[in-house]
């Protein structure tokens, strides 16, 4: 499991908002829009309070699933759309690369909708969130 340190900003129920500084692994990602500080919502089973430095961990299965859905699924769907466009071209009496491009574009956009649905569902699942495992200081 990947572990990170951060400072608890607020606590609500069994969850805590934790501010995490960016590091070298975040340098080329760009997913956070260039923010120097990222805020994550973590399960707070250890009772951390605002202002405390904590150690939390991401479950690797969730990280890998998220990476697949966000990065690989749209590419696969675009490829599937291009293949379907190839087979539909004679039926639609279309020539050239237009059926490939349209098929890839439609399926890529469908994949983006699926990514958004996955993101909304994952945001509400408790087991998909990082977990605070230790209070370092406070």
């Amino acid at each position: 499991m990947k572990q990170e340190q951060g400072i608890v900003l607020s606590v609500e129920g069994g969850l805590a908002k934790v501010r995490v500084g960016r590091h070298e692994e975040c340098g080329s990602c760009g997913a956070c829009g260039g923010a120097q500080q990222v805020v994550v919502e973590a399960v707070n089973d250890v009772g951390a309070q605002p202002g405390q430095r904590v150690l939390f961990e991401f479950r690797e299965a969730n990280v890998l699933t998220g990476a697949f859905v966000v990065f690989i699924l749209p590419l696969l769907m675009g490829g599937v759309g291009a293949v379907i466009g190839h087979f539909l071209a004679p039926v639609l009496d279309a020539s050239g690369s237009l059926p490939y491009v349209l098929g890839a574009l439609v399926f890529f956009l469908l994949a983006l909708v699926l990514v958004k649905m996955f993101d909304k569902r994952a945001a509400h699942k408790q087991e998909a969130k990082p977990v605070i495992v230790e209070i370092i200081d406070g």
Side-chain angles (χ1 to χ4, degrees):
M1 293 193 197
K2 179 152 178 54
Q3 294 188 335
E4 292 285 334
Q5 291 184 19
I7 297 174
V8 177
L9 297 176
S10 65
V11 176
E12 186 176 319
L15 298 175
K17 291 192 187 267
V18 180
R19 183 180 68 216
V20 185
R22 289 183 64 171
H23 44 79
E24 63 273 357
E25 291 175 358
C26 293
S28 61
C29 174
C32 300
Q36 292 303 311
Q37 301 289 326
V38 178
V39 176
V40 297
E41 195 171 56
V43 176
N44 186 13
D45 289 338
V46 298
Q49 295 300 314
Q52 292 181 317
R53 180 172 292 281
V54 295
L55 182 69
F56 63 96
E57 59 189 20
F58 294 94
R59 296 179 185 105
E60 285 193 30
N62 295 337
V63 173
L64 292 175
T65 302
F68 175 81
V69 169
V70 171
F71 296 112
I72 305 300
L73 182 66
L75 293 175
L76 289 176
M77 292 286 285
V80 167
V83 170
I84 290 173
H86 168 75
F87 287 111
L88 286 180
V91 174
L92 300 174
D93 196 30
S95 62
S97 61
L98 184 63
Y100 301 100
V101 173
L102 286 179
L105 181 63
V106 167
F107 274 72
F108 182 79
L109 293 175
L110 176 64
L112 294 181
V113 170
L114 293 175
V115 168
K116 186 67 173 170
M117 289 171 46
F118 173 82
D119 183 51
K120 283 185 178 181
R121 192 174 60 135
H124 297 293
K125 288 176 69 176
Q126 192 84 345
E127 56 272 1
K129 296 184 186 308
V131 178
I132 297 175
V133 293
E134 181 182 344
I135 299 171
I136 298 173
D137 65 320

